[in-house]
Amino acid sequence: MPQFSPSQSPLGERFANALVYAHQLHAHQVRKGSGIPYVAHLLSVTALVLEDGGTEDEAIAALLHDAVEDQGGEPILQAIQEQFGDTVASIVDGCTDSVTIPKPPWRNRKENHLKFLEQATTPVLRITLADTLHNARSIYSDLRQIGPQLWTRFKGGRDGTLWYYRSLLELIQVRKPSPLTSELDQVLMAIESWSKS
């Protein structure tokens, strides 16, 4: 894990502005089936990115990783570029599997995004991994509380969701292994084991 000196603050005013902007964009959005404010997911993903050694640009992109896909497509990407710069916009774009409304069919989107990730930058892989890990943690927690009806929340259902998460994990384990990949593997094994019982 990276060590920051006590006098060095890795986050500044840009990050603070991104926190406000992410809240504005997602203020009325909640997590599927739970009613939890969506910003909780964005904060969790950002924490994982920072704990994995992410830069300020990566932390900002983590806060905004769903903004383009969920909150307005290309105009939002342009706004992110104007406010936070080319690097952040490029990372957010790499984490986005669709900018069109309505979105293309789920399986096609995921297959295309997996192909893209084969050549994606380390920041895109780090945020995608953190996003998937937090989603998997949430699925496992909800699965234990409400059971297999949980899977009706997801367009890919149980089999599609687990296929996508496993495919993504296998890809990132080759390109950017980390403690996050190990944890995702453990969480997925727990979900798979619970689902079989």
Side-chain angles (χ1 to χ4, degrees), residues 133-169:
L133 174 56
H134 185 253
N135 284 335
R137 284 176 176 175
S138 299
I139 286 172
Y140 185 54
S141 175
D142 289 350
L143 190 59
R144 287 178 295 160
Q145 292 180 49
I146 67 172
Q149 67 213 42
L150 159 86
W151 297 113
T152 61
R153 297 178 186 173
F154 299 96
K155 290 184 180 173
R158 175 196 178 278
D159 291 346
T161 301
L162 290 175
W163 158 79
Y164 177 61
Y165 285 4
R166 272 283 165 210
S167 299
L168 206 153
L169 174 61

Side-chain angles (χ1 to χ4, degrees), residues 14 57-58 60-61 64 80 84-93:
R14 291 171 67 243
D57 278 341
E58 290 172 42
I60 292 169
L64 301 172
I80 289 169
F84 302 106
D86 293 343
T87 299
V88 170
S90 176
I91 297 169
V92 171
D93 189 37

Side-chain angles (χ1 to χ4, degrees), residues 9 34 52 55 71 79 84 88 96 111 115-116 125-126 133 135 140 149 175 180 186:
S9 174
S34 70
D52 193 52
T55 64
Q71 301 299 326
F84 302 106
V88 170
T96 302
E111 288 176 348
K115 287 178 186 174
F116 168 79
L125 294 176
R126 176 178 281 125
L133 174 56
N135 284 335
Y140 185 54
Q149 67 213 42
R175 297 214 45 223
L180 297 185
Q186 292 170 355

Side-chain angles (χ1 to χ4, degrees), residues 114-128:
L114 286 168
K115 287 178 186 174
F116 168 79
L117 290 174
E118 290 174 4
Q119 304 298 323
T121 63
T122 295
V124 169
L125 294 176
R126 176 178 281 125
I127 294 168
T128 300

Side-chain angles (χ1 to χ4, degrees), residues 69-89:
E69 192 171 315
D70 292 349
Q71 301 299 326
E74 289 287 352
I76 295 296
L77 184 60
Q78 184 175 348
I80 289 169
Q81 183 176 20
E82 290 168 1
Q83 291 182 64
F84 302 106
D86 293 343
T87 299
V88 170

Side-chain angles (χ1 to χ4, degrees), residues 169-183:
L169 174 61
E170 289 169 9
L171 186 156
I172 296 177
Q173 277 177 322
V174 171
R175 297 214 45 223
K176 191 204 172 303
S178 75
L180 297 185
T181 54
S182 298
E183 185 179 350

